[in-house]
Amino acid sequence: MKTRIFAIASALTVSFGMASCGEKSTENEEVIEVEVNLEEEKSELRKELERIQADIDKQIAELEAKKEKADAEMKAEIEEMQEELRGEKSDLEKAMEDIQKASENTWSDVKKSVNKTTADIEKEWKNLKGEVEKAFEKN
């Protein structure tokens, strides 16, 4: 009788142990999936910021070429525009650092902040493009 109870108890222990291993495996898979998704989101957002930085660099270079042909007053305006663009680029670099440092716990806030920064930069950029076009229409 004791042997039979011991055998049943052992079988139950093994069964519970196997069931809990399965749960841990599922939990680990979920954690890995969350980490992968976080890294994918970070990567996608970094790529978007890098694209915007490249566009800013291109705009700065275009302004530099126009500055060579401009009069003194226009050169001053172009330099001002270039400084604004450099400031926006600096904001993007800061946002990229924030992305790099973000953890699973802070990601939501960082993502919101970076998206706001990106939206602000794009808005400013549209305004700046309008200013550039107006300034060069005068000449």
Side-chain angles (χ1 to χ4, degrees):
M1 181 77 168
K2 287 182 183 180
T3 308
R4 190 170 187 191
I5 292 173
F6 180 73
I8 292 172
S10 295
L12 288 174
T13 302
V14 169
S15 295
F16 288 134
M18 290 176 74
S20 69
C21 286
E23 289 174 16
K24 288 180 183 176
S25 176
T26 302
E27 288 173 12
N28 288 341
E29 288 172 11
E30 289 173 11
V31 169
I32 290 170
E33 185 175 324
V34 168
E35 289 174 2
V36 169
N37 288 341
L38 176 61
E39 289 306 314
E40 286 175 10
E41 284 186 36
K42 283 179 164 186
S43 178
E44 288 173 19
L45 198 49
R46 271 193 302 268
K47 286 177 186 175
E48 177 65 16
L49 296 182
E50 288 169 354
R51 182 196 60 77
I52 294 170
Q53 279 185 319
D55 289 343
I56 289 174
D57 287 338
K58 181 180 174 185
Q59 185 68 34
I60 290 171
E62 287 175 11
L63 287 171
E64 191 63 33
K66 290 178 180 183
K67 187 168 72 171
E68 292 176 10
K69 302 172 188 172
D71 62 21
E73 182 180 332
M74 184 57 109
K75 283 182 182 182
E77 286 183 45
I78 291 172
E79 287 173 4
E80 205 173 294
M81 292 175 196
Q82 287 176 313
E83 281 306 308
E84 286 180 42
L85 287 170
R86 287 183 188 105
E88 291 174 1
K89 189 174 174 182
S90 176
D91 290 345
L92 286 173
E93 289 168 357
K94 168 77 169 90
M96 289 175 88
E97 289 175 16
D98 291 344
I99 291 170
Q100 186 66 31
K101 293 176 186 176
S103 67
E104 185 179 330
N105 295 333
T106 63
W107 177 241
S108 179
D109 292 335
V110 169
K111 187 175 175 182
K112 285 177 190 175
S113 174
V114 169
N115 285 333
K116 182 182 180 331
T117 298
T118 303
D120 291 346
I121 287 172
E122 288 177 346
K123 181 181 174 185
E124 285 298 315
W125 194 344
K126 285 180 184 178
N127 292 337
L128 186 60
K129 281 183 179 181
E131 289 177 28
V132 169
E133 289 172 8
K134 286 179 188 176
F136 284 101
E137 286 176 3
K138 292 178 189 177
N139 287 340

